Amino acid sequence: VRRFRYDHLVARMRKVPSAFSPVIAVDRNIAKPLYRQLYDSYRAMIVGRGLHPGQQIPSTRNLAIELGISRIPVLTAYAQLLAEGYFEARAGSGTFVCSTLPEQLAPTERRDVPSGGVRRGSRPVARRTKDLPTGVNSPWVKGFGAFTISHPAYELFPFQVWSNLVMRHCRNPSTSALNYGDSLGSEELRDAICTYLRTARGVRCDPQQVMIVAGSQQALEISARVLLDPETPVWVEEPGYWLTRRVLALAGCRMIPVPVDSEGLNVAVGIKRCRKARAAYVAPSHQFPLGATMSASRRLQLLDWAQSSGSWIVEDDYDSEYRYGSMPIASLQGLDSGSRVIYIGTFSKVLFPSLRTGYMVIPPDLVDRFLAVRQALDLTHPHLYQAVLTDFMREGHFARHLRRLRLVYGERRTALVDNLHQQFGSRLELHGAQAGMHLVASLPKGFNDQEIAKRAALKKLWLWPLSPTYLGKPLRQGFILGFGSTKAAEIPDHVQRLKGVLVAERVVTEQN
Ligand SMILES: Cc1ncc(COP(=O)(O)O)c(C=O)c1O
């Protein structure tokens, strides 16, 4: 295997900054001198904002080589642009578009054209994309701090170990590490994941059935493309995970909301609403957001339904690693004798979400279909972090980190539950605190969670409202409260702040 050493290149790159060459065309066959053509092109790009103030421009030598002309006209043009204040030279760093330019440009020379030109005529886009919510404007989506959901305890992550592994795999990559990889993902990582899933989650799997993907999100997307046609009826949990719904909306499916109770998805209602649904999207270990764990009888009912109606079950096992006060619950996939379950897992909750790495366990007869779809999307998962993750798992760091997180999240969760009880008594009803990194506190009747959440955000309290997780009319209003990223010692203060907000909203009184 060939290995590359490029430390010397990195060192050189640091010393000699280099700039992109702008799109400049010169023509030797026209009367206009070359230096003038260069000058005019640069000036036009600066005025038209194609080059922005402070941006570096290539050296005269590099530009001359790239354009295949002598250096003299380039030197002449640069000298003039410098003299007129379009360029500025910085000793030892190179030449830059002048950073104080915008104020100096005559207003008549500005062309405030939207990027991509003037928008005229009809501009059709797919109807399905129009139905998707655009942007993520709600303040709680961007907020970072107490009660935000999906944020693990970053401060506990073993960065030293991780960065050593990154360096190990960056320094001397093999040719195969740089090439396109297997569309299922790296075999070593699939193998490590199988060991973990068989042992810790009771999943039945072989590495040939595992596909490494860009988080659960991509797994949902690929599963929808393989299993579902437009207009296909699909069961979704009500309330449920909004990003599953986005995927299904984009696929043009007909979503059938099936209510969730303390035993998880109500299969009997699903059958009554649409027995012939093609698939059911469920999170049986820790339903999102209400947190129920699907009972054994519901699991068997769901598997029976899938077998008898020829349907699929997509199991989102996003945070089942964390259970408090009860034994771990094996996956639904592990109970399935009919190969009807597509199992999805993620490293977002156990490592960090920007890793964008998850996995799916696919029924063996469908692997080819999943591979065909994956190859149409992004071919394969980037190699570097697969290699890092493989060593992280094989060398025991993953198991150690998980053990630590379980303890710490257990403390955080207990602190949150105790403080909520102390401050609010039975005025806020708690749901789903037995597992995961969030719980739900539902509000008494008559309050609007989104309105309260907007006002709380002004005080930097990030409360995810419950009502948008319903496809139909919300049965409950409340907040999804994350506790993964807040230290146990800080929780009493944050609950006190929450009380301040809820007293102001007249949800509770000071005496509660
Ligand atoms: C229900 C559910 N599934 C999956 C995920 C994780 O998604 P991803 O792996 O794409 O980061 C989340 C994250 O919050 C979630 O709430």
Side-chain angles (χ1 to χ4, degrees):
V1 176
R2 195 151 160 230
R3 291 190 175 273
F4 297 99
R5 291 208 68 93
Y6 55 89
D7 304 13
H8 61 291
L9 281 180
V10 173
R12 240 182 64 200
M13 282 189 312
R14 245 185 261 127
K15 277 196 214 115
V16 188
S18 193
F20 300 116
S21 296
V23 208
I24 287 180
V26 287
D27 187 347
R28 288 170 210 279
N29 300 323
I30 60 174
K32 199 183 208 182
L34 287 177
Y35 87 86
R36 188 74 213 183
Q37 291 185 41
L38 286 171
Y39 168 88
D40 285 349
S41 301
Y42 262 124
R43 194 172 171 279
M45 286 186 84
I46 292 168
V47 171
R49 299 289 194 270
L51 291 171
H52 61 81
Q55 183 177 340
Q56 191 178 8
I57 53 161
S59 68
T60 52
R61 183 192 304 275
N62 284 347
L63 189 67
I65 292 171
E66 220 151 299
L67 297 178
I69 59 175
S70 117
R71 206 170 154 203
I72 294 167
V74 185
L75 282 166
T76 314
Y78 276 38
Q80 186 157 353
L81 289 158
L82 278 162
E84 290 181 14
Y86 288 100
F87 284 179
E88 64 188 7
R90 297 187 199 158
S93 308
T95 309
F96 296 78
V97 176
C98 191
S99 40
T100 52
L101 208 53
E103 287 73 36
Q104 294 166 355
L105 283 177
T108 49
E109 287 189 291
R110 285 193 180 186
R111 283 190 290 128
D112 285 330
V113 174
S115 65
V118 178
R119 287 162 198 164
R120 276 194 222 100
S122 86
R123 307 172 65 77
V125 296
R127 207 175 317 123
R128 277 180 213 152
T129 70
K130 281 202 207 155
D131 296 337
L132 295 179
T134 53
V136 267
N137 296 324
S138 313
W140 46 86
V141 178
K142 294 187 191 141
F144 190 94
F147 305 131
T148 47
I149 59 171
S150 305
H151 292 181
Y154 296 119
E155 77 281 6
L156 298 180
F157 188 73
F159 289 107
Q160 190 57 51
V161 170
W162 186 260
S163 58
N164 288 343
L165 294 176
V166 170
M167 284 313 285
R168 180 190 293 172
H169 289 283
C170 268
R171 274 191 189 279
N172 303 306
S174 63
T175 42
S176 65
L178 300 176
N179 208 346
Y180 293 108
D182 189 327
S183 291
L184 282 179
S186 120
E187 198 174 342
E188 292 80 11
L189 180 56
R190 288 188 275 126
D191 201 50
I193 288 174
C194 269
T195 306
Y196 166 62
L197 291 180
R198 283 192 214 115
T199 319
R201 303 293 311 121
V203 173
R204 302 184 202 192
C205 56
D206 285 316
Q208 304 87 287
Q209 290 173 263
V210 176
M211 181 181 275
I212 313 293
V213 288
S216 314
Q217 201 55 35
Q218 191 181 32
L220 292 168
E221 164 69 5
I222 297 177
S223 70
R225 290 199 188 219
V226 172
L227 306 176
L228 310 172
D229 294 303
E231 308 300 332
T232 310
V234 180
W235 290 1
V236 290
E237 294 169 323
E238 176 77 333
Y241 183 42
W242 50 83
L243 289 178
T244 301
R245 290 170 185 176
R246 287 235 191 138
V247 166
L248 297 175
L250 203 53
C253 298
R254 187 156 61 83
M255 281 177 263
I256 315 285
V258 179
V260 175
D261 58 26
S262 60
E263 286 192 71
L265 186 89
N266 192 329
V267 181
V269 174
I271 292 173
K272 214 180 275 169
R273 289 197 179 159
C274 182
R275 173 183 286 278
K276 281 303 207 186
R278 174 86 58 87
Y281 278 71
V282 288
S285 303
H286 187 226
Q287 198 272 334
F288 187 90
L290 289 178
T293 300
M294 192 183 270
S295 66
S297 63
R298 288 273 175 87
R299 285 172 192 244
L300 295 175
Q301 247 183 308
L302 185 64
L303 289 166
D304 272 357
W305 161 76
Q307 191 55 44
S308 64
S309 63
S311 309
W312 303 105
I313 298 168
V314 179
E315 176 178 15
D316 181 359
D317 207 24
Y318 66 107
D319 72 355
S320 57
E321 284 85 359
Y322 310 121
R323 290 206 72 77
Y324 315 108
S326 65
M327 298 298 283
I329 301 219
S331 64
L332 179 68
Q333 193 265 12
L335 277 182
D336 172 25
S337 53
S339 233
R340 294 261 156 211
V341 178
I342 291 89
Y343 176 89
I344 295 177
T346 178
F347 288 102
S348 289
K349 308 280 179 180
V350 283
L351 299 180
F352 49 94
S354 75
L355 188 60
R356 301 313 303 137
T357 301
Y359 43 86
M360 56 207 308
V361 179
I362 305 161
D365 57 321
L366 293 189
V367 170
D368 282 351
R369 296 292 88 217
F370 275 76
L371 269 173
V373 166
R374 213 280 160 76
Q375 283 161 0
L377 295 175
D378 65 347
L379 290 177
T380 186
H381 199 58
H383 175 84
L384 176 62
Y385 284 125
Q386 294 193 69
V388 171
L389 201 40
T390 305
D391 287 356
F392 194 77
M393 294 181 88
R394 279 183 179 169
E395 293 174 15
H397 308 296
F398 180 62
R400 200 169 307 120
H401 183 53
L402 207 48
R403 217 169 290 128
R404 192 157 171 228
L405 287 182
R406 276 196 193 115
L407 279 177
V408 172
Y409 290 162
E411 288 164 12
R412 294 179 181 186
R413 170 254 181 205
T414 305
L416 181 58
V417 171
D418 289 353
N419 275 275
L420 289 172
H421 277 141
Q422 258 167 33
Q423 297 291 352
F424 303 110
S426 57
R427 190 76 177 140
L428 296 190
E429 198 186 339
L430 305 189
H431 314 259
Q434 302 78 14
M437 294 157 60
H438 73 264
L439 53 81
V440 166
S442 59
L443 290 166
K445 284 208 175 349
F447 294 96
N448 182 314
D449 53 14
Q450 296 197 65
E451 290 304 319
I452 296 177
K454 276 184 210 154
R455 288 189 285 270
L458 298 175
K459 299 183 177 153
K460 303 225 170 317
L461 205 56
W462 314 112
L463 307 176
W464 278 73
L466 177 65
S467 60
T469 63
Y470 286 86
L471 197 58
K473 189 170 176 301
L475 279 187
R476 285 191 176 99
Q477 304 273 326
F479 303 113
I480 309 169
L481 304 177
F483 52 81
S485 62
T486 311
K487 293 187 178 129
E490 293 166 7
I491 284 178
D493 275 355
H494 294 303
V495 173
Q496 197 66 49
R497 288 173 61 215
L498 174 63
K499 184 159 185 185
V501 168
L502 297 187
V503 167
E505 297 286 340
R506 298 177 192 281
V507 176
V508 293
T509 60
E510 279 295 352
Q511 284 70 44
N512 256 108

